[in-house]
Every structure is written in structure tokens, then in C-alpha cells.
Amino acid sequence: MSAGRNAVITGSTSGIGRGIALKLASEGARVMINGFGEDAEIADLLTELEKLSGKKPIYSPADMSDPAQIETMMRLAENELGGVDIMMNNAGIQYVSPIEDFPTDKWNQVIAINLSSAFHTTKAVVAGMKSRGWGRIINLASAHSIVASPYKSAYVAAKHGIVGLTKTAALEVAEFGVTVNAVSPGYVLTPLVEAQIPATSKARGISEGAVIQTVMLANQPTRKFVDIDDVAATVAFLCSDAAKGITGSNMTIDGGWTAQ
Ligand code: NAD
């Protein structure tokens, strides 16, 4: 249970991060959310989070591609929450293109948001977690941290990289009551995935329906999208004391995709 814990969840105005914020708040955590979106939608989410946890949530609009903004966000979290117990690195974007046409600025952006932002937040929270003798750092990786798909070079590189960061950080803090783990979903139907359907359709020259059936769910033996709630439940478990012996792991929630 995350009752009484303070949690920062990056990229939590939408999709999986939003689901994780709601789950941790429902267990009694005080949360800081982050990400982009309409003011009214963010205000509604903050109201819902406060109702669930009974504690006032915080919002940071920091851009995870900018180390200076990440530093400001982490300072705000320390000052307002009085210490970060759970650091959930979830923010991520996708860009789909054959490697010979892959724009260099898109490569840099995907690596910055999906990989480097987790280094910056981890660097900011580790000392406090070690001194308090308790902490959870969880990195949202992907089945693409284990296997590749064509046209996703930056994303696959970032997701493989974040597993390396997870293992390294886990070893450095293992004796201090702090665990560091990755969770790796298969396809979850969120705005990020919906946006990939037309791009993948164009890159492969097939219809959008065929992308869903023959590209996305063809990889997933269950032939079903993974539920956001199932990812959030796994994160909540990793935050619990029952998971104190799990560190440096990469937990798949991919309907059997990477077992093949
Ligand atoms: P999403 O697009 O629904 O949500 C992404 C969130 O990140 C949003 O809140 C958005 O505002 C925020 N964000 C984007 N760029 C940002 C930036 N520069 N700074 C701060 N916040 C930013 O995506 P999602 O599908 O929920 O993905 C969340 C995570 O899960 C990502 O790391 C993604 O790679 C990973 N993932 C998703 C799937 C899937 O099938 N949806 C599968 C495996 C892994």
C-alpha cells in the first residue's frame, strides 16, 4: 500500500501515467502529476485525485525533454511534498520512421523524454530516499525494452537503455531500502498508441485496421490490448512492502509478447 507516501508521476495527464496516479492516490498516496493537456482536464484530474487520496495533489507542467525544467519540478516536489518516496518515470513519446529518414531532432527528443528524464529525476531523489531508508523508483519501459520493431529506432533504443539505467541504479541503492524496477507493457490502447496507427500505416503501406490486427496485436498472443489498470496494479504492487525484495527487475505485462 502507498498510504502516507509521496509520489511523483511524470507524464500523468493522460494514458498509463494518469491510471498510475489514480491508483496510487486511491491507496492514499499524495501525488504530483506532470504532463501536458487542457487546463480544465488537468483541474478535473486534480479534483479526482484529491477526492481519492484525501490529500492535495500538485501539478507541474515541466517539459521532460529539458533538464532545467526537470530540476525545477523536483525542487518543487521536495519542497511541497517534503520528500519523494515513489518516483514513477512514465513520460514517453513515440516517433515512427525508417531509420534513413528518421529526423535527428526527433531522435534527440525521444531519447531525452523516454530515457534521459529518468536519469535526471533519479539523480534528484536518490539521496533523500537513501537517508530515509525507503524508496521506490519505477521506470515505465515497454516490450520494446526486450525486443525491437522496425521503424522505432529511437524508442527501442531508449527503452533498452532505461532497463540498463534501472539495473545500475538498483545496484547502487540496494542496501538502503530503495528498489528500482522497470515495468514493460505490450500494447495498451492510449493516445500514444492511437497516434501511431496512421504513422505505422503510412510506413508499412497497409490500412489502419491491418496495423491493429497484423502489427500490434499480432505480437500479443492474447490478441488483446493490455489494460491501463493492470499496469497501474503492478506499479502499486512494486510500491508495497511485499515487493521489497524485488529490485533491478523488468516486469513484463505484455500478454505473452516477449515469451515468443
Ligand atoms: P500518452 O501519450 O497517453 O501519455 C503520455 C504522457 O506523457 C502525457 O501525460 C503527456 O502529456 C506526457 N508527455 C509527453 N511529452 C512530455 C514531455 N516532454 N514532458 C512531460 N510530459 C510529457 O502515452 P502512454 O501510452 O500512456 O505512455 C506512457 C508511457 O508508457 C510511455 O513511456 C510509453 O512509452 C509507455 N508505454 C506505452 C505503451 C502503450 O501501448 N501505450 C506500451 C508500452 C510502454
Side-chain angles (χ1 to χ4, degrees):
M1 286 292 282
S2 301
R5 306 289 186 194
N6 298 320
V8 175
I9 305 114
T10 67
S12 43
T13 51
S14 164
I16 296 170
R18 183 178 185 279
I20 292 168
L22 290 166
K23 176 71 177 171
L24 296 181
S26 75
E27 292 195 346
R30 183 169 181 209
V31 299
M32 171 187 261
I33 58 166
N34 154 259
F36 306 138
E38 299 293 327
D39 289 351
E41 279 176 23
I42 292 168
D44 285 350
L45 178 57
L46 288 167
T47 304
E48 198 177 348
L49 289 164
E50 186 164 1
K51 251 186 234 157
L52 284 170
S53 78
K55 297 176 191 87
K56 201 165 184 52
I58 309 168
Y59 166 64
S60 163
D63 184 336
M64 291 299 107
S65 69
D66 179 354
Q69 291 188 42
I70 297 171
E71 203 183 318
T72 304
M73 177 182 83
M74 297 312 294
R75 213 175 304 119
L76 177 71
E78 280 293 324
N79 292 343
E80 290 287 320
L81 302 174
V84 177
D85 303 310
I86 298 167
M87 182 66 235
M88 177 74 230
N89 293 305
N90 167 81
I93 59 164
Q94 176 61 280
Y95 194 84
V96 179
S97 165
I99 199 159
E100 65 266 38
D101 302 323
F102 209 100
T104 301
D105 64 327
K106 289 291 175 196
W107 168 275
N108 289 335
Q109 197 186 8
V110 171
I111 298 294
I113 297 169
N114 296 21
L115 174 58
S116 302
S117 70
F119 159 73
H120 297 299
T121 62
T122 300
K123 186 176 172 183
V125 297
V126 154
M129 288 179 175
K130 281 166 73 178
S131 69
R132 289 187 295 275
W134 198 94
R136 297 287 187 267
I137 300 170
I138 303 171
N139 296 321
L140 211 310
S142 163
H144 281 121
S145 72
I146 299 168
V147 294
S149 296
Y151 314 123
K152 296 183 178 176
S153 53
Y155 188 86
V156 172
K159 295 301 186 182
H160 276 63
I162 206 163
V163 171
L165 172 66
T166 302
K167 291 179 186 173
T168 308
L171 298 181
E172 292 186 22
V173 298
E175 291 178 53
F176 298 91
V178 181
T179 69
V180 189
N181 291 289
V183 292
S184 283
Y187 277 105
V188 187
L189 196 56
T190 66
L192 179 140
V193 167
E194 282 166 15
Q196 281 175 58
I197 296 171
T200 307
S201 157
K202 192 169 161 226
R204 290 182 179 247
I206 55 175
S207 74
E208 294 191 7
V211 169
I212 295 173
Q213 287 308 318
T214 66
V215 180
M216 293 180 167
L217 297 184
N219 282 331
Q220 232 152 261
T222 52
R223 304 281 179 257
K224 288 185 181 125
F225 283 108
V226 171
D227 289 341
I228 290 175
D229 287 351
D230 295 354
V231 181
T234 302
V235 169
F237 168 67
L238 286 171
C239 292
S240 72
D241 283 331
K244 63 182 180 302
I246 303 174
T247 197
S249 79
N250 182 9
M251 299 185 73
T252 56
I253 318 164
D254 64 5
W257 176 353
T258 54
Q260 298 170 99

